[in-house]
Amino acid sequence: QVQLLESGGGLVQPGGSLTLSCAASGSIFTINFMGWYRQAPGKERELVASWQSGGIINYADSVKGRFSISRDAAGSHLDLQMDSLQPEDTAVYYCHAVGRGWGSPSSLNYWGQGTQVTVSS
C-alpha cells in the first residue's frame, strides 16, 4: 500500500503565504516522480510543480518566482511553498506520485485526496 497525505491548505488573503505538505507512506519501494497539481472550478487540472528522477524540477509559468518545492532526502515528502498568493491560485491542490510499492511489480500512479487553497480578501 502507498498513500499520499496532503496538509496545509486553508484560507489566505491575497499576498499571503501558505505551505502545502505531501507525505508518502506505506510499503514504498521507489518514487520516481512527485509533484503538485491543482484544479480550479471550470478549469483543467494543471501541473504546478514537480520533481522527478535526476533532480529535474519543473514549475508552471504562472507560479514561477512565487512557488517553490522542497524534497526530503528519502524522497517521500514534498513541500510546496506558496508566496504572493493571488485569487487565481484558488484551487484544490493534489499531490501526485509515480512509483513502486513493495507489493507491486510495476510503477503506479498515486494521488492524494486533495487540499483546498482559497485566496480571498
Side-chain angles (χ1 to χ4, degrees):
Q1 66 176 167
V2 176
Q3 185 176 7
L4 301 180
L5 179 63
E6 302 123 327
S7 62
L11 173 65
V12 297
Q13 294 185 338
S17 298
L18 207 61
T19 300
L20 304 183
S21 296
C22 177
S25 62
S27 301
I28 302 168
F29 182 54
T30 59
I31 295 178
N32 300 314
F33 173 94
M34 203 167 188
W36 282 96
Y37 289 76
R38 69 184 181 187
Q39 187 165 21
K43 297 182 65 178
E44 295 289 326
R45 183 172 59 190
E46 64 175 348
L47 176 67
V48 177
S50 66
W51 171 94
Q52 65 185 59
S53 297
I56 301 172
I57 298 175
N58 293 110
Y59 293 99
D61 289 340
S62 60
V63 307
K64 287 181 178 178
R66 299 189 298 121
F67 292 9
S68 64
I69 56 172
S70 59
R71 177 178 174 269
D72 71 340
S76 60
H77 190 276
L78 189 71
D79 285 350
L80 178 66
Q81 176 65 45
M82 304 183 293
D83 298 320
S84 301
L85 284 162
Q86 299 299 316
E88 54 265 34
D89 296 314
T90 296
V92 178
Y93 286 70
Y94 298 92
C95 183
H96 173 54
V98 178
R100 290 182 57 192
W102 284 105
S104 176
S106 59
S107 294
L108 297 174
N109 292 324
Y110 301 94
W111 290 91
Q113 64 184 15
T115 183
Q116 177 71 48
V117 172
T118 302
V119 185
S120 176
S121 61

